[in-house]
């Protein structure tokens, strides 16, 4: 009986130690607006950029490794290389991922979904995980726009 009590006390002490040690070095949650501030990579760009849909649709047919170049809004040129694209067998969703060559670490993702009525809807983001700002594709008044957002607002925990 003494051995069981001693063993139980040792296990309890180890569990308490592990629990206390686990609480020491926690990083703040992404959603907490703390002192964790990342630099801005899109600080020189306006809040909204208008997109040329036909130019972006053409990019859906590009092959992996192909260089792309297109205008985002007035005055900003995006240059990059296609690093990934969706499978050709899925006719309802087409996606292309482009890694920027003129802004270090930026990735642009563009997706076209075919709706049941034959119309298209678009999704996409342009972001860098090392920076605090990003752009997200939205539709306003029938126009496709890239709207600047805080990166931490785009992700849920």
């Amino acid at each position: 009986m003494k051995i069981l009590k001693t063993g139980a006390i040792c296990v309890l002490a180890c569990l308490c130690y592990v629990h206390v040690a686990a609480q020491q070095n926690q990083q703040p949650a992404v959603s907490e607006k703390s002192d964790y501030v990342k630099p801005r990579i899109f600080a020189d760009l306006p809040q909204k950029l208008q997109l040329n849909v036909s130019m972006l649709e053409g990019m859906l047919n590009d092959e992996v490794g192909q260089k792309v170049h297109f205008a985002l809004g007035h005055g900003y040129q995006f240059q990059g290389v296609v690093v990934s694209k969706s499978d050709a067998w899925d006719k309802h969703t087409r996606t292309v991922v482009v890694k920027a060559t003129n802004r270090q670490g930026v990735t642009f993702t563009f997706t076209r979904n075919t709706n049941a009525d034959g119309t298209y809807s678009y999704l996409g983001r342009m972001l860098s995980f090392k920076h605090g700002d990003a752009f997200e594709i939205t539709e306003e008044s029938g126009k496709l726009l890239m709207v600047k957002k805080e990166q931490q607002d785009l992700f849920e925990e």
Side-chain angles (χ1 to χ4, degrees):
M1 188 71 167
K2 269 185 162 183
I3 294 175
L4 284 175
K5 282 184 182 179
T6 306
I9 291 174
C10 288
V11 168
L12 184 62
C14 288
L15 286 175
C16 289
Y17 174 75
V18 168
H19 179 71
V20 170
Q23 301 299 317
Q24 296 300 319
N25 294 322
Q26 284 188 344
Q27 296 291 331
V30 174
S31 63
E32 292 179 15
K33 306 268 184 181
S34 63
D35 293 335
Y36 187 66
V37 178
K38 293 181 178 180
R40 307 285 187 234
I41 195 163
F42 302 118
D44 60 325
L45 297 176
Q47 193 66 26
K48 294 181 181 182
L49 297 168
Q50 188 170 347
L51 297 173
N52 181 338
V53 177
S54 60
M55 193 178 302
L56 293 176
E57 289 230 357
M59 193 173 54
L60 291 171
N61 298 320
D62 291 345
E63 295 299 322
V64 173
Q66 188 171 343
K67 293 182 181 182
V68 295
H69 177 86
F70 56 90
L72 286 173
H74 300 291
Y76 172 56
Q77 298 295 315
F78 184 89
Q79 298 172 10
V81 176
V82 176
V83 293
S84 175
K85 63 184 287 183
S86 60
D87 292 328
W89 60 267
D90 187 0
K91 301 294 183 199
H92 297 290
T93 302
R94 303 281 311 269
T95 299
V96 64
V97 179
V98 180
K99 185 174 181 180
T101 55
N102 60 338
R103 287 197 190 244
Q104 196 65 23
V106 172
T107 303
F108 177 68
T109 305
F110 179 69
T111 302
R112 180 188 72 189
N113 291 314
T114 306
N115 301 321
D117 61 359
T119 60
Y120 297 127
S121 58
Y122 302 95
L123 303 168
R125 293 180 174 163
M126 185 168 52
L127 58 91
S128 167
F129 289 109
K130 295 179 182 178
H131 297 87
D133 55 348
F135 277 97
E136 185 172 43
I137 293 178
T138 60
E139 189 173 340
E140 290 181 13
S141 305
K143 295 180 181 179
L144 209 57
L145 302 173
M146 295 282 290
V147 178
K148 194 182 292 188
K149 302 215 175 188
E150 292 295 316
Q151 183 193 35
Q152 63 190 18
D153 294 339
L154 295 177
F155 302 110
E156 294 183 24
E157 291 184 53

